[in-house]
Amino acid sequence: MADDYKSKLRAMLEAYAERSAKLPATEKAPKDQADRRMCGERLHSVVRPVLDGLMEELKSAGHDAAVREHIERDDAYPSVALSFAPRNGLSSALIFRYDPRHGIVVQREVKHAPWKGRPPTTQGTGDRLGTIGIAAVSTSWVATKSLSFIEAVLKAN
């Protein structure tokens, strides 16, 4: 029985390898490379500076915050994220990322402090805050989404 899942996995991996080998070389490269590159540039030039500014303000108020950026990776879509943990609170995340169907998607995961009497099943809430076209992303849009996220984290902790 223990080897049953391994044989299923091997069969899936072999089928994938056969399917991948049949694709022409041009189909193996991502078709949305230009959009990915443009999105990475927008995330870096528009979103990152806003998140960096917010991070500095949060840190100067005694909270823990960090910004991470992944825009040059071939194995993942471009993204920029703000992690924020209020004093004595849990770390939550706000992520701006490229989605080939929607442009830039912003999602958040707000972790609720268990000591505030919330049941463990509602430990975190992840939800989409919105989408916007790559060229339409603006500093004010990023600031609005970010402040909404920070307000939700502060209320939850």
Side-chain angles (χ1 to χ4, degrees):
M1 174 112 168
D3 289 328
D4 189 40
Y5 75 91
K6 289 182 182 179
S7 62
K8 287 180 182 179
L9 175 60
R10 284 187 201 109
M12 284 188 276
L13 293 172
E14 287 172 14
Y16 174 79
E18 289 173 14
R19 202 172 52 248
S20 294
K22 293 177 185 175
L23 288 176
T26 57
E27 288 188 36
K28 290 182 183 178
K31 295 177 183 177
D32 61 346
Q33 202 65 359
D35 284 347
R36 286 171 69 131
R37 192 171 17 266
M38 183 171 62
C39 182
E41 290 169 4
R42 294 293 290 179
L43 289 172
H44 180 74
S45 66
V46 177
V47 177
R48 176 75 191 247
V50 174
L51 297 185
D52 282 341
L54 291 168
M55 176 186 66
E56 292 305 318
E57 290 291 326
L58 292 167
K59 284 183 167 187
S60 69
H63 303 291
D64 188 25
V67 174
R68 67 184 186 281
E69 179 179 280
H70 300 287
I71 59 171
E72 297 293 328
R73 294 175 52 179
D74 291 333
D75 64 340
Y77 286 131
S79 67
V80 177
L82 171 69
S83 298
F84 165 48
R87 281 185 297 248
N88 303 319
L90 299 176
S91 183
S92 297
L94 178 69
I95 304 164
F96 294 83
R97 67 172 174 76
Y98 170 66
D99 182 313
R101 293 169 291 163
H102 302 290
I104 294 178
V105 174
V106 59
Q107 292 179 277
R108 69 179 181 180
E109 184 173 343
V110 176
K111 302 261 177 96
H112 296 278
W115 49 87
K116 289 190 88 173
R118 299 199 193 313
T121 56
T122 60
Q123 193 64 23
T125 58
D127 59 327
R128 184 179 279 191
L129 293 180
T131 60
I132 195 167
I134 296 169
V137 69
S138 66
T139 300
S140 62
W141 184 79
V142 175
T144 299
K145 300 302 179 186
S146 301
L147 291 175
S148 168
F149 162 72
I150 292 168
E151 180 180 35
V153 172
L154 292 173
K155 283 181 181 178
N157 287 277

